[in-house]
Amino acid sequence: MTARGWFLFSLMGVIWGIPYLMIKVAVDTVSPATVVFVRCALGAALLLPFALRQPGLARTVRTHWRPLLAFACIEIIGPWFTLTDAERHLSSSTAGLLIAGVPIVGVALARFFGSHERLGIRRLTGLALGLAGVGVLTAPHLTGGDARSLAEVLLTVIGYATAPLIAARHLKDVPSLHLTAPCLALAALVYAPAAAATWPSETPSASVLAALAGLGVICTAVAFVAFLELIKEAGPTRATVITYVNPAVAVAAGALFLDERLTATIAVAFTLILAGSVLATAAAPARPGRPVPWSTRQTSRADGRVESP
C-alpha cells in the first residue's frame, strides 16, 4: 500500500479497536436500539453539515439510492444492532475475536462481486497468520455466550464483509461524505421510535455518556470517513484486515492505561497479527511478460484492483 494507505490503516486499527469496550459499557445501562440511535444521530449531526456544503448531495442520493440503501442496511442498520445486542451476553473480547473473521468472509465473497484482486500464497498466508494471532490473543479470555448472541455476531461479520464490496463496486465515485452522512441519517430515523420507547428514565452515568459520545464522534463520524477512504486507497478486502489489529489495540490500551500485564502470549499474538497484516495487505507482484502501463503504476483503485510495477 501507499504511505497514505498505511496511515489510514493504522488510524482505523486504533479507532475501531475501542468500540467493543464502549458498547459493553453503554449496553449495560442503555438498550441496544438507543445505543445505535445515539451513535448514528451523533455521526449524522456531525457529518451532514459538511456533506451539504459539497455540491451534488441530492443528485447523489437520487442517482445511487439503491446501493446507498443496501450499504446502509448491510453495514449499519443490521450489524450495529446485532453486535450491540450480542454484547449484552458476550464479552467484548469474544465479540472482537468473532469480528476478526471479516477478512476471511470478505475474501470468500469478493469473487461473487467480480473483484479482480489477486490472492497469492503470500496474502492467504497473511490472512491465516492474522487469524491465528487473534486466536492466541483472545482465547485465554473468552467467556461464554448463548447461541443467539453468537449468531448475531456472525450476521455482523457477514454484513461487515459485504458492505465494502458494495461500496467498491457501486459507489466508488461517490464522495465519502455523500455516502456516509445519508446512511447514518437513515439509520438514526429507523431506530428513533425504538430508542424513544426504551429511553432510560434516569440520566445515565458519566462513563455511559462518555461511551455513547465516543461511539458517535470517534467510532462513527471520524471512522467512517477514514474507512471509506481506505477502501478507495487499498481495496475492500485489504481494508477489512484492520479487524486483525483491533484486538491488539484493546490489549495495548489496557497495558498502557490500566496496568494490565503484557505477557509472552500477548507478545506472540502481536507478532502474528503484525506479520499477517503486512502480508495480507501487500500488493501482488506484476506477472512476468505483462508490463504494467505507467499511468496505472502505484495506483490504488476503489474497485479493489491494486496495481504496482
Side-chain angles (χ1 to χ4, degrees), residues 24-216:
K24 190 67 176 178
V25 171
V27 82
D28 283 342
T29 303
V30 182
S31 71
T34 302
V35 172
V36 178
F37 167 75
V38 172
R39 182 178 183 179
C40 294
L42 281 176
L46 290 171
L47 295 180
L48 269 176
F50 295 98
L52 290 171
R53 290 178 62 182
Q54 293 182 349
L57 175 60
R59 183 174 63 254
T60 296
V61 174
R62 185 171 59 252
T63 304
H64 301 281
W65 70 270
R66 288 184 179 87
L68 283 172
L69 178 61
F71 183 87
C73 292
I74 296 173
E75 175 71 21
I76 302 173
I77 295 174
W80 285 10
F81 179 83
T82 53
L83 177 61
T84 303
D85 189 61
E87 286 206 43
R88 293 188 301 138
H89 306 290
L90 292 177
S91 68
S92 59
S93 62
T94 302
L97 172 62
L98 296 173
I99 295 298
V102 169
I104 303 298
V105 177
V107 169
L109 293 176
R111 298 305 181 211
F112 293 99
F113 283 79
S115 174
H116 297 285
E117 287 187 277
R118 295 191 293 271
L119 298 176
I121 296 299
R122 179 172 55 180
R123 292 188 61 200
L124 290 174
T125 301
L127 291 171
L129 283 176
L131 186 59
V134 171
V136 169
L137 178 65
T138 58
H141 308 288
L142 294 181
T143 60
D146 58 11
R148 174 184 169 180
S149 298
L150 295 174
E152 285 179 321
V153 179
L154 177 59
L155 290 175
T156 304
V157 168
I158 295 173
Y160 283 175
T162 305
L165 298 172
I166 294 174
R169 181 169 183 179
H170 299 287
L171 301 168
K172 61 183 179 181
D173 297 324
V174 174
S176 297
L177 287 175
H178 286 189
L179 170 56
T180 307
C183 290
L184 289 174
L186 174 63
L189 289 174
V190 169
Y191 282 103
T198 58
W199 199 263
S201 57
E202 298 181 357
T203 302
S205 64
S207 60
V208 172
L209 293 176
L212 291 172
L215 282 170

Side-chain angles (χ1 to χ4, degrees), residues 212-272:
L212 291 172
L215 282 170
V217 177
I218 300 173
C219 302
T220 301
V222 175
F224 249 128
V225 173
F227 184 56
L228 292 171
E229 291 300 315
L230 178 59
I231 292 174
K232 295 177 181 179
E233 184 75 19
T237 304
R238 289 191 182 95
T240 58
V241 178
I242 58 171
T243 53
Y244 284 151
V245 183
N246 297 343
V249 170
V251 171
L256 289 173
F257 302 108
L258 301 176
D259 296 324
E260 295 177 352
R261 294 179 58 194
L262 188 62
T263 64
T265 299
I266 293 174
V268 171
F270 269 121
T271 302
L272 290 172

